[in-house]
Amino acid sequence: MTRLEDDLGAALRALVPDDVPATDLARRVPRVAARRRVARRTVLVAAVPAALGAAVAGERLLDDRRRAAGPAGPPPPVDLGRPHVVVVPATVPPGSTVALWVAQPEGTDLGLYGEVGRVERWTGSRWVEQGTFTGGVSGITAGTLGPATGVAVPSLGLTAAGGRGPVELVDLAGLAPGTYRVGHGGERGTAWGLVTVDPQAPPPPQVAAPEGSVVGVAFDEPVLDVGTAATGRLVVWEQPGEDVPADVVGTLSGRLSGPGRLERWSGDGWQDTGRGLPVRQVEVMFAVAADVDVPALGTGTYRVVVTGSVAGPMAAPLWVVGP
Amino acid sequence: MGEQVAFETWVAARERALLRTAWLLTGDWQHAEDLVQSALVAVWPRWERVCAAGDPEPYVRTVLVRTYTAGRRRLWRREQPSAAPPERASTTDDVGTVDLRDTLLRVLPHLPTGQRAVVVLRFAEDLSEQQTADALGVSVGTVKSQSSKALTRLRAVLGSREDVEGAAGSRREAR
């Protein structure tokens, strides 16, 4: 054997995380098997009247199968003790855009693979595949949902550096009311987060740049810890699809100036907090950027509005989260 | 009822081992638990006969890996293959400090289903080629070729022999 084969077994066994989950498989399996037998028997018994065209028997079959499947319940909660996806807001009306990012509770780096994530729908008893999503990684524009057979982008490896991945905006247009989970694969398995589409939910904050913008502005690290002041770096980006060369973006935005206007999402609109934030233009190759001193804030969704000397007012979203 | 108690006792004793194998096949605990449950649900109705034939573990493991490979064919677990595993973005300069375990974490999800199953059974479970072939329901020749392809791919990603040996050496030194 070569050295690789010598080392492989131990290396593979060492890959498995130590936190093997506690399960009740021993008791659950006979129950699940019994339920499936009942469901199969119900189908067989009902097949004859169904073949005779008895519509009533067909209805009874459906009722039996519904009973066999058990009552619908809420989805299992996301395990916040392992890498998971934070979705903000977690409940939105149909057609909304949400922000999401991968959180690693240990605060260490976590490798994620590709920009394509998974979407699954909760049926009341299990998750079924719904499709894929791509995130608008820059925070400027929203990614969209796609079919389950979407093509991954292997060369774009994202990392939840320091325990937090990049913020992605995802337009949930096309998802019917219901509960979904969105997930990103990674080196510790798929990290999941829940989002509910509910027609009665309040509108989410508008966090993507307004339609028709050629350039927009976003924080490099737009998620802050509650009660912690930070200096955030704002960078001007071209809107995807606008085909603006990187070295022309600055010309289209002009210099950024402050003070930045800090606004908080109140639930139905942006409210000026009355706080002006210092904005300092910084030199960055092929881009226009500025540093902004953000004070300690309470949890919520905020935006900082700065002015580009050419582009005019531009807003960069910020999410302040608790521990 | 005695049969159920025996089943529950056996599962309670072996579920961690089964879950660890399933984790290597699926890459996360949730899917690993789903996979183990599916395998056990298939085994439970014939538990008495399985036990009568001897140690049930090889049989359960066989069902487990076949459920995995069949499930992958049905896209039970969507995972998108790519031509080459992605490079992990890093905030540190880790050139020259290749780590076998870290590289495996990145490469394993990108191995085709059959190769991944062979790698897990042959190396993590330490089964012989014949036992692996029996578990997967394929010929020994197929196990050899799948194993060879997987190792070739792993070597290509791991880089030169020196890197591999260096990584193994640093791991041993770290312990």
Side-chain angles (χ1 to χ4, degrees):
Chain A
M1 276 198 175
T2 65
R3 287 200 66 87
L4 173 59
E5 288 164 271
D6 284 344
D7 287 343
L8 197 49
L12 278 165
R13 287 188 288 273
L15 285 188
V16 184
D18 293 331
D19 56 338
V20 183
T23 75
D24 64 343
L25 281 169
R27 300 181 69 81
R28 194 196 316 157
V29 165
R31 285 203 305 269
V32 173
R35 208 159 58 212
R36 289 189 186 169
R37 274 202 304 276
V38 168
R40 272 200 299 273
R41 202 177 305 136
T42 307
V43 172
L44 287 172
V45 167
V48 174
L52 295 172
V56 175
E59 280 300 310
R60 203 171 295 148
L61 163 66
L62 285 173
D63 288 344
D64 286 350
R65 292 185 69 184
R66 285 188 198 109
R67 273 197 293 276
V78 170
D79 182 357
L80 301 180
R82 64 181 299 276
H84 59 277
V85 172
V86 176
V87 185
V88 181
T91 302
V92 291
S96 299
T97 292
V98 295
L100 59 88
W101 60 88
V102 172
Q104 152 85 309
E106 288 93 343
T108 52
D109 285 3
L110 176 74
L112 310 171
Y113 303 130
E115 62 172 358
V116 179
R118 299 165 56 188
V119 182
E120 295 185 349
R121 182 173 54 82
W122 179 248
T123 64
S125 60
R126 66 192 181 97
W127 294 106
V128 294
E129 191 166 12
Q130 178 78 22
T132 57
F133 72 86
T134 51
V137 178
S138 71
I140 296 291
T141 191
T144 53
L145 302 175
T149 52
V151 177
V153 183
S155 60
L156 180 54
L158 307 175
T159 297
R164 192 173 281 153
V167 171
E168 302 167 70
L169 303 183
V170 181
D171 181 353
L172 300 182
L175 288 190
T179 299
Y180 299 83
R181 66 176 183 177
V182 290
H184 260 306
E187 59 190 5
R188 288 185 53 193
T190 302
W192 293 105
L194 299 183
V195 60
T196 298
V197 177
D198 178 355
Q200 306 303 320
Q206 167 73 38
V207 288
E211 197 131 340
S213 310
V214 178
V215 292
V217 67
F219 280 99
D220 259 0
E221 294 183 9
V223 182
L224 301 179
D225 294 317
V226 64
T228 305
T231 297
R233 169 143 310 172
L234 278 175
V235 179
V236 176
W237 296 89
E238 75 279 15
Q239 282 283 55
E242 292 295 337
D243 200 23
V244 180
D247 53 351
V248 177
V249 170
T251 311
L252 295 174
S253 72
R255 290 181 67 80
L256 300 180
S257 65
R261 189 171 73 242
L262 180 66
E263 298 179 340
R264 187 175 194 278
W265 181 254
S266 66
D268 57 5
W270 292 105
Q271 286 191 339
D272 191 346
T273 62
R275 303 167 91 159
L277 310 185
V279 174
R280 298 183 299 281
Q281 182 97 17
V282 293
E283 296 303 320
V284 177
M285 193 174 286
F286 291 150
V288 170
D291 284 345
V292 180
D293 294 327
V294 181
L297 299 170
T299 55
T301 303
Y302 297 81
R303 67 178 188 178
V304 175
V305 182
V306 296
T307 303
S309 58
V310 177
M314 295 181 287
L318 274 177
W319 291 268
V320 180
V321 296
Chain B
M1 186 52 82
E3 187 187 2
Q4 181 159 341
V5 171
F7 176 80
E8 289 180 7
T9 305
W10 187 87
V11 172
R14 299 304 303 153
E15 69 172 346
R16 286 176 67 87
L18 294 172
L19 283 166
R20 290 171 67 86
T21 302
W23 188 94
L24 284 170
L25 293 169
T26 63
D28 80 56
W29 286 129
Q30 205 158 12
H31 285 98
E33 189 175 332
D34 285 350
L35 179 57
V36 173
Q37 175 175 311
S38 297
L40 291 174
V41 165
V43 170
W44 160 240
R46 52 187 79 99
W47 184 249
E48 203 171 17
R49 271 182 292 154
V50 171
C51 291
D55 180 6
E57 184 140 351
Y59 184 84
V60 174
R61 194 191 297 119
T62 296
V63 175
L64 183 82
V65 290
R66 290 191 189 181
T67 304
Y68 163 71
T69 52
R72 291 296 296 262
R73 283 195 292 275
R74 288 197 307 268
L75 296 181
W76 162 76
R77 161 91 164 86
R78 185 189 63 77
E79 198 168 85
Q80 302 185 15
S82 60
E87 292 300 322
R88 175 182 167 180
S90 173
T91 53
T92 58
D93 176 16
D94 54 7
V95 175
T97 56
V98 179
D99 179 84
L100 176 59
R101 183 175 171 273
D102 185 57
T103 308
L104 273 172
L105 272 171
R106 289 184 286 142
V107 173
L108 205 57
H110 299 278
L111 287 180
T113 307
Q115 290 180 26
R116 183 168 179 168
V118 166
V119 164
V120 169
L121 292 179
R122 281 282 288 123
F123 300 104
E125 297 292 319
D126 220 11
L127 297 191
S128 67
E129 287 174 342
Q130 184 62 57
Q131 288 169 322
T132 304
D134 291 344
L136 288 168
V138 298
S139 69
V140 171
T142 300
V143 169
K144 284 181 177 171
S145 67
Q146 293 288 296
S147 175
S148 169
K149 284 177 184 168
L151 290 173
T152 301
R153 191 158 179 182
L154 285 169
R155 281 198 187 92
V157 177
L158 285 163
S160 67
R161 293 279 301 129
E162 289 73 22
D163 286 341
V164 176
E165 288 174 5
S170 10
R171 254 195 346 276
R172 279 191 290 274
E173 281 162 23
R175 283 174 185 159

